[in-house]
Amino acid sequence: MSNAAEELHTLFSSWRQRVAEQPGVTMSAVLTPADEGIEEIRRAFALIEILSGQLRFLASRNYRVAVHQRHLRVWARVPLMLQFGWGTQVSHPDHVLAEAALDQLESLSSFLDDKVLAFDDSRIPSLRSLMDQADVLLTGDTEMDSALMSYLRRLIAEIRYALDDDVAGRTFDYTAAVERLRVAFQAAAEASTSERKRGWRGLVQQIFVGVTSGGLVEGGAALAAITIG
């Protein structure tokens, strides 16, 4: 996926635009939660969860993200329409989300540029190939730490499921998953004492060259940041 903040900004902007074009409409008519609009609402919450994880990671790298984290609560209230309710008629785009809060989301989008890995649908074939190559390296490996091997197998299975299931894939955070792969591949390369070391290093290189369109400025999380369990 692309920058999650940018995507959420686009989604919220489209909701504001609907109100601007139909002043006096009810929010249930704008978002149609009982119909196809529920997918947009689900997508909004999925993007907010992605942003929450990215901000926690950046906070662990000593980035100043507290103001963005506070705004997560504001953005999370939008799809619920807590302020006006579903049946209330609204006449101004700010009834969906205030322009200042939308601007903060745009600010977060700019802040995240070049700080998170970027992934889009055109890179899915490369990701499938990466999973296949990792499986080959894992097969018959008697040197890798069992915990790291288990983590890699679960992560690969998780990504494969998202790639093979359209519904799961629409809300899957490929960006975070590919970053987790990169960290795990680096750990495998550092721990390997055999010819597999070159193979794992090759997969790390492929992530930057063939799978993603950018790299983390800070180089990502350390091995200790991998959560196994």
Side-chain angles (χ1 to χ4, degrees):
M1 62 168 291
S2 60
N3 186 311
E6 180 180 359
E7 187 174 341
L8 188 61
H9 182 279
T10 299
L11 182 58
F12 284 169
S13 294
S14 73
W15 294 354
R16 282 173 51 91
Q17 183 62 31
R18 292 174 200 173
V19 172
E21 293 173 350
Q22 306 174 67
V25 71
T26 65
M27 288 313 305
S28 61
V30 172
L31 300 188
T32 59
D35 202 347
E36 67 274 3
I38 194 64
E39 292 303 321
E40 288 188 337
I41 294 171
R42 290 179 60 192
R43 184 59 182 161
F45 281 120
L47 290 168
I48 290 168
E49 183 61 25
I50 289 170
L51 289 172
S52 178
Q54 291 177 340
L55 290 173
R56 286 197 304 272
F57 167 73
L58 291 171
S60 74
R61 305 295 292 173
N62 298 318
Y63 281 94
R64 296 180 179 178
V65 298
V67 64
H68 298 302
Q69 290 175 313
R70 287 196 296 271
H71 273 82
L72 286 174
R73 298 179 183 179
V74 176
W75 302 324
R77 292 171 62 90
V78 174
L80 298 176
M81 289 299 137
L82 295 177
Q83 184 176 358
F84 291 96
W86 293 104
T88 303
Q89 290 184 324
V90 291
S91 58
H92 194 280
D94 280 356
H95 293 163
V96 176
L97 177 67
E99 190 169 3
L102 190 68
D103 289 343
Q104 184 63 35
L105 190 52
E106 185 174 20
S107 174
L108 175 58
S109 174
S110 298
F111 172 77
L112 290 176
D113 279 343
D114 299 324
K115 291 184 177 67
V116 294
L117 295 169
F119 184 93
D120 57 52
D121 290 348
S122 68
R123 300 175 189 277
I124 286 180
S126 298
L127 187 54
R128 290 185 187 279
S129 174
L130 198 70
M131 299 298 94
D132 292 341
Q133 295 175 67
D135 272 335
V136 170
L137 285 172
L138 284 171
T139 300
D141 192 327
T142 59
E143 299 177 347
M144 182 179 293
D145 175 79
S146 59
L148 177 57
M149 179 177 286
S150 177
Y151 174 83
L152 266 169
R153 290 197 181 282
R154 291 201 308 270
L155 180 54
I156 289 170
E158 182 182 350
I159 294 173
R160 284 195 187 280
Y161 176 72
L163 289 171
D164 293 338
D165 188 289
D166 289 340
V167 175
R170 281 198 294 270
T171 57
F172 186 71
D173 186 359
Y174 288 104
T175 298
V178 170
E179 170 59 12
R180 288 157 60 197
L181 273 178
R182 186 188 68 81
V183 174
F185 289 168
Q186 285 181 329
E190 292 171 6
S192 180
T193 58
S194 68
E195 283 296 317
R196 296 177 190 271
K197 180 185 293 287
R198 182 182 302 173
W200 291 117
R201 285 177 174 170
L203 294 189
V204 173
Q205 183 66 18
Q206 285 187 52
I207 285 178
F208 287 109
V209 175
V211 175
T212 63
S213 58
L216 275 170
V217 173
E218 290 295 316
L223 173 60
I226 297 178
T227 300
I228 299 176

